[in-house]
């Protein structure tokens, strides 16, 4: 039987594949407290260990080290069915020969619930995912988005204390993905079930989660709210992953108690230093393309950079301009401006939107 909880605690959860003692850890020391009702996104590039983390929590993979607790109860040696978590997979994993209502009710049937209660709960779950009119269809007669709704209904019908979702929207086309994102947020709002959601998609994590866990190479890089992950990445790896695509090598010098990075053609006065412990000296200034803008070449702008436009990608309201400075530095600017390939331009960024990280962290 599922145990409800106030806090799910992951302590040093580690998983190595292979028997060698020095086998690299796919998941290395994941420590995290998840509170009841939270929507947590595990975000990171392919291969960073997100699915491994989810499978360890679900009980589908044994831990190599660490422990998992629901309040005082240690659950990492319990089989998946005794943890009682709901799972939603990327490929839906529906039974193709069963109708929608049979798919959704299967878990309840296995738990030996009486038929009338199964019927009632299945109907409620299908209403919640807005599939009440499709109960007798087979999965093959439904669209990808509808099948994913069935999978979500099947996970929530057992009223699990925790719902685990592994890239549930990856197989859907772009428009459906956006619609289902809103649906998932709505369902979470209505049910308030604690949810752990694995994704490599920054926008999905930012728009769905209460807190985001950013992972790289099996390790947690940062855990925080979407606003902090977006605006104040803890290190260069998180900044890169969150779209701080422009990187300028600068020299950080102490000026009246604050760090002022200077580089060829750039003087970023008043720039925010992302890491308190930034050493004086070589550093990397990171700027998002949508936070750079074109400026007049003559004006008195402190952090103006001169460059030549190389390519322009048109996106409708804005374009993405790829520029190159005289020093060969490539810059990306996302703007509604109208420059063309070959144009000499000047660009800038607000000093408080430039983040500076120690350069030794850069590869
Ligand atoms: P993706 O989004 O591509 O699924 P992920 O972040 O979910 O990536 P994992 O699937 O957790 O990453 O994999 C993490 C690391 O563990 C990868 O380097 C992967 O090659 C390795 N790995 C995963 N499963 C196994 C396995 N069964 N045997 C050996 N190595 C594995």
């Amino acid at each position: 039987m599922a145990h409800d909880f106030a806090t799910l605690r992951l302590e040093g959860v580690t998983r190595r594949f292979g028997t060698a003692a020095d086998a690299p850890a796919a998941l290395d020391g994941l420590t995290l407290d998840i509170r009841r009702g939270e929507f947590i996104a595990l975000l990171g590039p392919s291969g960073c260990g997100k699915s491994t983390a989810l499978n360890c929590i679900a009980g589908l993979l044994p831990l190599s080290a660490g422990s998992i607790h629901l309040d005082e109860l240690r659950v990492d040696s319990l089989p998946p069915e005794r943890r009682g978590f709901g799972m939603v997979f990327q490929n839906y994993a529906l039974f193709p020969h069963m109708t929608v209502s049979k798919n959704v009710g299967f878990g309840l049937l296995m738990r030996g619930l009486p038929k009338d209660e199964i019927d009632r709960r299945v109907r409620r779950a299908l209403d919640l995912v807005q599939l009440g009119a499709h109960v007798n269809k087979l999965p093959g007669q439904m669209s990808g988005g509808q099948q994913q709704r069935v999978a979500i209904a099947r996970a929530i019908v057992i009223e699990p204390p925790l719902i685990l979702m592994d890239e549930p929207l990856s197989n859907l086309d772009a428009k459906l993905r956006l619609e289902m994102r809103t649906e998932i947020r709505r369902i979470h709002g209505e049910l308030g079930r604690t949810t752990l959601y694995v994704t490599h998609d920054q926008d999905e994590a930012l728009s769905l989660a209460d807190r985001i866990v950013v992972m790289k190479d099996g390790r947690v890089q940062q855990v925080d709210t979407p606003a902090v992950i977006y605006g104040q990445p803890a290190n260069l790896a998180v900044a890169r992953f969150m779209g701080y695509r422009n990187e300028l090598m600068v020299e950080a010098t102490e000026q009246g108690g604050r760090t002022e990075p200077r580089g060829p053609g750039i003087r970023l006065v008043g720039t925010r230093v992302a890491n308190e412990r930034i050493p004086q000296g070589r550093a990397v200034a990171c700027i998002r393309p949508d936070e750079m803008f074109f400026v007049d070449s003559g004006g008195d702008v402190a952090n103006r950079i001169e460059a030549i436009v190389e390519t322009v990608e048109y996106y409708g309201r804005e374009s993405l301009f790829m520029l190159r400075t005289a020093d060969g530095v490539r810059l990306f600017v996302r703007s509604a401006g109208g420059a063309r390939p070959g144009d000499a331009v000047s660009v800038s960024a607000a000093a408080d939107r430039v983040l500076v990280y120690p350069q030794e962290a850069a590869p």
Side-chain angles (χ1 to χ4, degrees):
M1 198 46 227
H3 308 273
D4 208 354
F5 61 87
T7 307
L8 166 71
R9 205 164 76 248
L10 309 173
E11 271 183 12
V13 173
T14 298
R15 169 69 194 183
R16 291 174 211 287
F17 289 104
T19 47
D22 60 350
L27 178 67
D28 195 356
L30 171 62
T31 295
L32 180 69
D33 277 5
I34 301 175
R35 295 179 289 274
R36 191 209 324 248
E38 268 196 300
F39 195 118
I40 300 278
L42 278 186
L43 173 68
S46 181
C48 72
K50 311 180 292 289
S51 301
T52 301
L54 206 75
N55 290 332
C56 285
I57 295 166
L60 300 172
L61 273 179
L63 310 192
S64 306
S67 57
I68 303 173
H69 310 256
L70 297 181
D71 296 329
E72 302 313 313
L73 182 72
R74 185 164 172 179
V75 298
D76 49 81
S77 53
L78 296 181
E81 62 278 9
R82 292 207 40 219
R83 300 186 197 190
F85 301 154
M87 299 252 343
V88 180
F89 299 96
Q90 182 175 343
N91 59 4
Y92 323 134
L94 300 175
F95 299 116
H97 58 288
M98 284 187 194
T99 62
V100 165
S101 59
K102 289 262 169 6
N103 262 287
V104 175
F106 187 75
L108 301 177
L109 195 67
M110 290 295 101
R111 285 168 170 77
L113 267 69
K115 185 175 176 316
D116 55 341
E117 187 179 347
I118 295 179
D119 288 347
R120 198 175 60 244
R121 282 169 66 168
V122 166
R123 215 171 317 118
R124 206 170 55 211
L126 285 172
D127 282 346
L128 190 74
V129 298
Q130 295 172 346
L131 282 182
H134 301 264
V135 289
N136 293 319
K137 284 194 176 160
L138 293 172
Q141 299 169 321
M142 308 184 91
S143 72
Q146 289 172 329
Q147 291 185 49
Q148 194 54 289
R149 282 170 204 256
V150 177
I152 291 170
R154 189 181 53 182
I156 61 185
V157 78
I158 59 170
E159 297 179 6
L162 176 68
I163 299 180
L164 302 168
M165 298 195 179
D166 194 354
E167 306 253 11
L169 308 185
S170 303
N171 286 357
L172 305 179
D173 67 45
K175 183 166 170 285
L176 209 49
R177 205 154 55 219
L178 284 180
E179 284 172 18
M180 282 301 292
R181 203 199 275 177
T182 310
E183 282 295 282
I184 287 176
R185 189 69 222 178
R186 175 183 66 78
I187 292 166
H188 180 256
E190 284 185 30
L191 292 184
R193 296 264 155 206
T194 317
T195 303
L196 192 60
Y197 185 103
V198 161
T199 182
H200 64 271
D201 182 319
Q202 295 86 342
D203 292 339
E204 249 172 47
L206 289 169
S207 60
L208 283 172
D210 299 314
R211 285 194 298 156
I212 299 176
V213 179
V214 185
M215 295 182 55
K216 178 173 180 276
D217 300 335
R219 288 171 180 267
V220 171
Q221 304 292 311
Q222 188 171 10
V223 182
D224 219 312
T225 59
V228 173
I229 298 285
Y230 181 87
Q232 293 153 253
N235 60 40
L236 189 57
V238 179
R240 283 178 173 161
F241 192 63
M242 295 311 295
Y244 288 74
R245 203 168 168 190
N246 294 309
E247 296 183 16
L248 297 157
M249 300 304 149
V250 295
E251 196 71 28
T253 53
E254 182 81 19
Q255 295 273 322
R258 76 181 174 192
T259 304
E260 285 195 3
R262 293 161 194 258
I266 182 165
R267 180 162 176 267
L268 298 159
V269 181
T271 295
R272 195 147 56 101
V273 177
N275 185 335
E276 300 281 324
R277 289 169 290 113
I278 185 171
Q280 300 300 302
R282 289 153 68 75
V284 188
C286 299
I287 315 169
R288 303 177 60 85
D290 52 353
E291 286 170 334
M292 297 202 79
F293 46 85
F294 292 105
V295 292
D296 289 342
S297 45
D300 179 23
V301 180
N303 48 358
R304 185 174 60 221
I305 304 170
E306 316 286 343
I308 304 289
V309 178
E310 286 201 336
T311 62
V312 182
E313 279 174 40
Y314 180 64
Y315 285 112
R317 209 168 66 81
E318 295 175 325
S319 298
L320 180 69
F321 300 88
M322 195 182 85
L323 321 177
R324 201 175 290 277
T325 68
D327 308 310
V329 176
R330 183 188 274 186
L331 292 173
F332 295 91
V333 179
R334 198 168 170 128
S335 155
R340 284 190 298 214
D343 288 355
V345 293
S346 296
V347 291
S348 185
D352 65 349
R353 295 307 306 141
V354 182
L355 302 182
V356 183
Y357 298 94
Q359 194 172 329
E360 63 262 20

